[in-house]
Amino acid sequence: MIIKSDFRYSVKFLIAFVVMFSAIFAENVNAQISAEKASYRTLTEYSSSANDSIFVFCDPGDIKVGELKASSPDGTNGWTFEWTKWDINTSDFTMPITTEKNQTESFLTMRENGLYRVVISKSGESDVSDQAWVLNNVNTSSLNLDKLDCIGVYFTTSFLPVNLQYTDIDNVPNKKNVISNLVDGGVELKFSLIRDNQELLTAGEVLNTLPFNNVNKSFIDEEANEVDKTYQLLVTDQYGCDFTSKPIVSKTYKVKADFSVVPEKGEAPLKVKFTNNSINATEYEWFLYQDVERVPEEATKDEDRLLTDGILLADDKDPFDFTYEHPGKYLVKLIVKSDKGPEVCKDSMTLSTPIVVDTSLVQVPNVFTPNGDGRNDVWRIKSQSLESFHAIVFNRWGRVVYEWRNPEEGWNGKVNGKMATPGTYFYVITAVGREEKTKKYTKKGSFMLIRK
């Protein structure tokens, strides 16, 4: 008996499960309405009946863009699609819309807000129905130019999120007419300042409770530009819809100092090209210096005379060359001004790494092998940036074996046309560098002549 009772219970449970699964499956099969252009999808929360799909459509122009699509259950032709709309006064789908025959699918376009039903029928087949809400999300965003100054362009924005609603159709017959909110809180908004069709700045906002209040944001474009720019506000709301403000064209008074130098390192005299890349500037002051403490923020002609370690150039944006005659590390500072606005704007830039000017160079090899193999056959001095040069080679007894004044030349290891004896030789080199023509270099030492 116990076994028989357990068996009956198992059979009843299995039958209930099959019935429930069949109902769910049938509901999925009957769900024939879709909306490819919807930006947001959810379900109603009716009091008792099965819930309907809700499709939200982005409608910035308030032209009623809702669009529904119904497909036949088996994907074949020959079906009739009958569309109706729910009427709150009759609490039923008593508002006819359209009927299409011998179709595989049917579209409703340019639909206003409301609940729509489609009944799909075919001779010899079971009727299929489905219903769905269309909610058009109509809204606008505003962008206002607040002011211009030396910091940039200031904007204020405004946006009021729309709280979309639908009717709980289960309560209408009881005259309750309950309106349900699509969302109650936790709404995220994204504000983007667009400049010339490129996203420049963004800001977010989270609204946790109803009713939604107007949201205001502020933006500053702190970039300097020499041409007018087109600005717009783009707001993405809780339904994934984008709302763009009317464009605003604005200039900027902000000035930016910017320049480049080439080369950044070399031997004296070093010729450096300065390229001025400043934006919006009308006045330029250049400081080329070694001692940072001696360069003032502003310069006058009298102050310029005090800059013994630097040179001031002004009122010139075109590229120019400057020759550093003396070795050392030099910094560069550029101060720019603009009088394009109601106030004078100023900016400055200092070279991040100094320009390195090396001294004139004389390097003496300590050995050479004049054996005719084409390698190291000439004892030659390596020199750079010399104004004058004189080299003398002596043997161990102090007799001059070779002398020359062109630093490009050298001793080939011969004396009076004959091979010199291998061994130690001595030299004296005198030179004057170009960076300081009054300073003379003198080098003395010895080197080896080896024949292999």
Side-chain angles (χ1 to χ4, degrees), residues 42 49 70 109 140 214-215 218 226 233 242 294 300 304 313 328 336 363 379 390 403 407 426 431 434 440-441:
T42 188
S49 63
T109 60
T140 58
N214 195 66
V215 180
S218 298
E226 291 186 326
L233 173 67
D242 292 336
R294 302 194 61 164
T300 64
D304 185 21
L313 303 173
V336 297
Q363 293 182 340
W379 191 74
H390 184 209
E403 182 178 2
F426 303 88
R434 293 180 181 176
K440 180 180 294 186
Y441 296 92

Side-chain angles (χ1 to χ4, degrees), residues 104-338:
T104 304
E105 57 188 19
S106 176
F107 288 89
L108 283 186
T109 60
M110 308 299 290
R111 291 294 100 192
E112 61 183 1
N113 293 352
L115 178 61
Y116 296 84
R117 170 182 285 180
V118 64
V119 177
I120 309 173
S121 60
K122 186 177 184 180
S123 177
E125 302 286 346
S126 300
D127 292 354
V128 177
S129 67
D130 194 14
Q131 56 196 54
W133 282 90
V134 167
L135 296 179
N136 292 293
N137 185 17
V138 180
N139 208 330
T140 58
S141 63
S142 65
L143 179 69
N144 301 298
L145 178 60
D146 191 21
K147 66 175 182 178
L148 306 175
D149 63 14
C150 292
I151 295 177
V153 186
Y154 294 73
F155 296 95
T156 56
T157 68
S158 179
F159 184 78
L160 179 60
V162 173
N163 180 28
L164 294 178
Q165 299 174 323
Y166 64 93
T167 303
D168 186 349
I169 61 176
D170 292 336
N171 285 295
V172 173
N174 300 324
K175 305 301 182 182
K176 293 183 179 180
N177 195 18
V178 175
I179 302 298
S180 299
N181 298 314
L182 216 58
V183 292
D184 293 323
V187 169
E188 295 186 12
L189 306 177
K190 180 184 176 182
F191 293 76
S192 300
L193 181 64
I194 308 299
R195 185 183 69 192
D196 288 350
N197 297 320
Q198 298 293 325
E199 186 177 79
L200 180 64
L201 300 168
T202 61
E205 184 77 16
V206 177
L207 306 177
N208 292 315
T209 58
L210 291 174
F212 295 145
N213 296 320
N214 195 66
V215 180
N216 300 307
K217 292 290 182 182
S218 298
F219 292 98
I220 306 176
D221 180 9
E222 297 183 358
E223 294 187 23
N225 290 294
E226 291 186 326
V227 296
D228 290 348
K229 297 294 182 178
T230 301
Y231 297 89
Q232 287 182 285
L233 173 67
L234 172 65
V235 180
T236 304
D237 73 354
Q238 66 269 35
Y239 308 113
C241 294
D242 292 336
F243 297 96
T244 306
S245 68
K246 293 181 180 179
I248 293 177
V249 178
S250 176
K251 65 183 70 176
T252 179
Y253 300 144
K254 182 173 183 178
V255 65
K256 179 182 179 181
D258 185 32
F259 66 91
S260 60
V261 297
V262 177
E264 297 180 357
K265 183 178 181 180
E267 294 76 30
L270 180 63
K271 186 177 182 180
V272 178
K273 177 179 287 296
F274 289 78
T275 302
N276 191 346
N277 303 312
S278 299
I279 300 174
N280 256 347
T282 54
E283 296 182 23
Y284 312 90
E285 293 177 334
W286 294 88
F287 298 88
L288 286 62
Y289 60 94
Q290 287 181 299
D291 186 358
V292 67
E293 295 181 354
R294 302 194 61 164
V295 178
E297 286 296 322
E298 302 283 348
T300 64
K301 294 300 182 182
D302 291 335
E303 289 171 332
D304 185 21
R305 297 190 186 101
L306 300 177
L307 297 175
T308 56
D309 295 326
I311 294 177
L312 170 68
L313 303 173
D315 300 328
D316 190 4
K317 184 180 180 179
D318 296 331
F320 64 91
D321 296 332
F322 182 80
T323 301
Y324 289 88
E325 299 287 349
H326 306 287
K329 295 182 179 180
Y330 291 86
L331 291 174
V332 181
K333 181 177 183 178
L334 171 61
I335 297 178
V336 297
K337 296 179 182 179
S338 172

Side-chain angles (χ1 to χ4, degrees), residues 80-84 96 98-100 106 117-121:
T80 298
F81 294 79
E82 182 182 3
W83 290 93
T84 56
T98 185
T99 300
E100 295 183 324
S106 176
R117 170 182 285 180
V118 64
V119 177
I120 309 173
S121 60

